[in-house]
Amino acid sequence: MVGMPRRRVAVFGAGYIGLVTGACLAELGHEVTVRDINPEKIRLLRSGEVPIYEPGLGDMIVRNKERLTFTLDLDEALDGAEIAYVCVDTPPSASGDADLSRVWSVVRSLEGAAHLRAVAVKSTVPVGTGSRVRAALDAAGLAHVGYASNPEFTAEGTAVGDFMHPDRIVVGASDEATAGLISELHQGVDGPIVVMDVRSAEMVKLASNALLATKISFINEIATLCEKTGADVEEVARAVGLDHRLGSHFLRPGIGWGGSCFPKDSEALRQLANNTGYHLQLLSAVIEVNNLQKRRAIQKLKDELGTLAGTRVALLGLTFKPGTDDMREAPSTVLAARLLAEGAEVRCWDPMARPADSEPWTSTTRYETPELAVDGADAAIVVTEWPQLKEVDWARAASVMRRPVLFDGRNLLDPAGMRALGFTYLSVGRP
């Protein structure tokens, strides 16, 4: 960008957030080195392969290969760097708190990097983490190095666009110089910058995801009530969403939310409250509704088929959402496990998913197309709203199933049309 100072940035972590952050900062003109401790991941990135599926990311990495490098070496990552970004994962620990071991590993590795001007954390961390990191930097002789919380608000499948055209860029910093440096780093990004204190910035991330999860669980509760009263949740959600105070985003009924953020962040926020002696009653209910939603899908099949023992059930879609290969906390994992526990044979289709080589997936059979997955099945569940499912020859699918029972867990297909093809069609919140 013309007139923008070019900074040298070290990004720690080559996962979804680290790779998108590194590639987008390079796109903005900065010199970026991404460091990870996984040799295979770095080998793939150096060879031009992206180890995750994210639309547009691979092209951006190639386009900026002169400014974007990948390394296993700590010294190489920090060489000349002015800003260190912490983008490692913070999975839930056994206690329910966020596991910050990877964050602390990065912070400890910065000791001696006196040339740094700032450390910025994108990883989702509990409120108050910044104060502890600040104290650790001071103790390591890095009191002159600024600290910032710069949470990410990108969604998998649209992460590159979300970074470059965000609703807001949140910068939490305890001093104006650091806030200015991180803000300046984003020059060229099409979105407003909101500067605040560190603790508030840490809370924004958790609160945002909790509110989005609340909207999904709420509409799923309304969907259940619609089923019992004869109302149509699709019509209800459409009209509710037209209210400018509410909006239509995330008012889509289904079989529950998953992914790397909503489950982890909701639990982290609830645990954070518990640690202060306060019980977040609303958020606890939101989590419970989501947990039950996946099991309600299995119960619907049992109500229709009588028993699941000895049946064949096809799961159509495995990832937690379309447009990604991410299986973290995907509802399909619970569905597969419950179906197997009920004695069903589980068949699977997904165009991108890479299930773990462990249960329940080692006890399922994977098929190349939806048509093959449903051939001979007693029932099928639309788990992920992949657009390919709209192109299926459903008339033929009905003819090759042992019992043409379809539970549309994402309300993707037309009820009247599917019933006309001979399906026993079940959906979420529609009469």
Side-chain angles (χ1 to χ4, degrees), residues 120-176:
V121 170
K122 271 202 175 295
S123 302
T124 303
V125 297
V127 178
T129 300
S131 297
R132 296 169 58 198
V133 175
R134 176 70 273 167
L137 293 173
D138 292 348
L142 300 176
H144 63 285
V145 177
Y147 178 83
S149 171
N150 180 212
E152 57 84 21
F153 301 99
T154 56
E156 291 178 32
T158 59
V160 171
D162 292 343
F163 188 103
M164 301 301 289
H165 306 279
D167 293 325
R168 76 290 202 198
I169 302 163
V170 173
V171 178
S174 56
D175 64 272
E176 291 184 7

Side-chain angles (χ1 to χ4, degrees), residues 214-241 246 250-254 289 293 296 300 411 427-431:
T214 298
K215 292 188 72 173
I216 299 172
S217 286
F218 175 79
I219 201 63
N220 279 334
E221 287 263 75
I222 295 300
T224 300
L225 192 56
C226 284
E227 291 174 5
K228 296 182 180 298
T229 59
D232 186 333
V233 72
E234 296 289 326
E235 296 298 327
V236 172
R238 181 168 64 91
V240 168
L246 304 172
F250 290 84
L251 287 180
R252 290 285 301 165
V289 168
Q293 198 69 8
R296 289 189 71 249
K300 284 191 175 187
N411 289 359
S427 57
V428 183
R430 295 193 288 188

